[in-house]
Every structure is written in C-alpha cells, then in structure tokens.
Amino acid sequence: MTAPVIATRDLGAPAEREVVRDMVRRGLVVAPIALLVGLVGWGVDGVASVALAVALVLANFALAAALLGWAARISLGLVMGVALFGFLIRLGLITAIVWGLRDQAWLEPLPFGLALIVGHLGLLIWETRHVSASLAFPGLKPEPAKELR
Amino acid sequence: MEITNTGLAAICYGLGAIGPGIGIGYLVGQSVQAMARQPEAAGMVRTTMFLGIAFVEALALIGFVVFFLGQG
C-alpha cells in the first residue's frame, strides 16, 4: 500500500498572473469610459479621482497576484500566511495612500469611492465569467483577439 | 467623551474588515488543502482561490469607502 502523496508547494505556471493580466487589459479598455463619467459628473477633479481609484484597483490585483504566485512556489503554508497578511498589508496601503491624499482639493470622495467599488467588482465579475467558461468548456476557451470583437 | 464622525467611521471600518479576514482564512485554508491533496488541480484551485479572495476583499473595500465618505 502506498502512502498518499501530499504536495507542499506548487511549481506550476502562476495562474494568478494570467488572471491579473486579463483584468489589467480589460481595466485599461474600460478606464476611458470611467474617466469620461468622472469628467461629465465632477469635472477635472472627478477624472483625477477616478484615475486614482482605477490605479489602486489594478495595483491591488497585481500585488495580490505577485505575492500569492511567489508564495506558492515556496510553500503552500506560506500561501496561507501571505494571503492573510497580504490582505492586511494591501488594505493598509490603500488606506495610507488615500489618507495621505484626503486633504487634496482634487480628490472627490464620491467618484473615487464609486470607481473603487464598481471597478473592483466589475473587473472581477467580468473575469469570473471568462474563467467559469474556460473551466467548464476548456476546448472553447476564447482567444483574447476574438473576445475583443 | 465625544465620538466624532471620523472615530465612528474608523470603528465601522475595523469591524467591516473582520468578516473578510475570516472569509479569506477559511477560503485559503480549504484551497491549500485541495492543492496539497490534488497537486494536478493546483492551477484551477489557485485561479478560483485568487478570484474568491478578490471577491471577499470587495467587502473590505466597501467598508473602506464607507469609512472614507463617513469621515468627511
């Protein structure tokens, strides 16, 4: 009888990097629309606030993917720690950045907050739809070029 | 002692971050167990784990936005 094999790390391709690459690409595609909404609703200050929110959302995703991908290659136990402390660190970074900029005249709270939540959830739902389809029908995985049509 | 809007908003933000912390802990714990037991499915598990973490984080971000709007 052979003992069950328990993996302690994952040396496969970093799946998070692919996911984030998709999200950043889509985020950059829809960013002009969000900036336009900010411009129409709140003027130049709205554009700056929306741009900051979009940049924070994309940087947050990229940092999360980089940290988890790095940890998975070392140890699955480290993934646990990095996921939890990464969450705290990234949330702290976002808070620190926005707290530092809160007195700036150009930072409009409402468009910033809306862009942060809608951008984060919107990109996630978009990517989840793509990933769900890829997992359910691997043979029908859409090509990036076809998807942009 | 006077409770300011900023203080109240900060307390709400802190309370709002507890739930996502528990959610991420549970989610990652189960994912790590799945990856350890089935290394061949690690890519799929990591993809869904990453998306799950990001969804749970959205709750904390909503808490942050409410904090940011409430302290003004």
Side-chain angles (χ1 to χ4, degrees):
Chain A
M1 189 178 147
T2 56
V5 177
I6 301 290
T8 55
R9 59 182 178 163
D10 180 16
L11 293 173
E16 301 90 357
R17 199 176 293 171
E18 293 296 318
V19 171
V20 165
R21 195 175 297 153
D22 268 359
M23 290 169 112
V24 170
R25 187 168 49 81
R26 290 181 179 134
L28 293 178
V29 168
V30 296
I33 301 167
L35 293 175
L36 193 64
V37 171
L39 181 67
V40 170
W42 294 271
V44 179
D45 291 352
V47 174
S49 304
V50 170
L52 175 66
V54 171
L56 282 178
V57 166
L58 296 180
N60 184 36
F61 282 140
L63 189 57
L67 285 174
L68 286 174
W70 166 77
R73 297 186 77 79
I74 296 172
S75 153
L76 293 180
L78 189 61
V79 170
M80 189 83 203
V82 163
L84 280 172
F85 285 101
F87 164 67
L88 287 177
I89 289 168
R90 284 180 288 114
L91 213 56
L93 272 177
I94 291 174
T95 307
I97 290 170
V98 178
W99 193 257
L101 294 172
R102 74 187 194 282
D103 291 332
Q104 300 293 317
W106 53 267
L107 188 61
E108 293 279 348
L110 193 58
F112 170 77
L114 281 176
L116 197 69
I117 293 173
V118 173
H120 186 90
L121 279 176
L123 285 175
L124 261 180
I125 291 168
W126 197 351
E127 183 61 24
T128 303
R129 198 171 148 266
H130 171 84
V131 167
S132 304
S134 305
L135 292 177
F137 309 106
L140 298 178
K141 189 173 181 177
E143 295 288 328
K146 286 180 186 169
E147 212 186 359
L148 284 176
R149 268 188 309 184
Chain B
M1 189 177 77
E2 189 187 352
I3 299 176
T4 61
N5 274 354
T6 306
L8 201 58
I11 290 169
C12 290
Y13 179 32
L15 290 175
I18 293 174
I22 295 170
I24 288 178
Y26 184 75
L27 190 158
V28 178
Q30 297 293 317
S31 302
V32 165
Q33 194 177 62
M35 284 189 278
R37 287 175 185 269
Q38 282 190 288
E40 69 275 9
M44 192 179 77
V45 173
R46 276 170 68 181
T47 302
T48 46
M49 179 186 80
F50 180 72
L51 291 172
I53 289 173
F55 268 112
V56 174
E57 260 183 35
L59 292 173
L61 279 180
I62 290 169
F64 169 70
V65 168
V66 171
F67 159 68
F68 186 58
L69 292 176
Q71 56 97 26

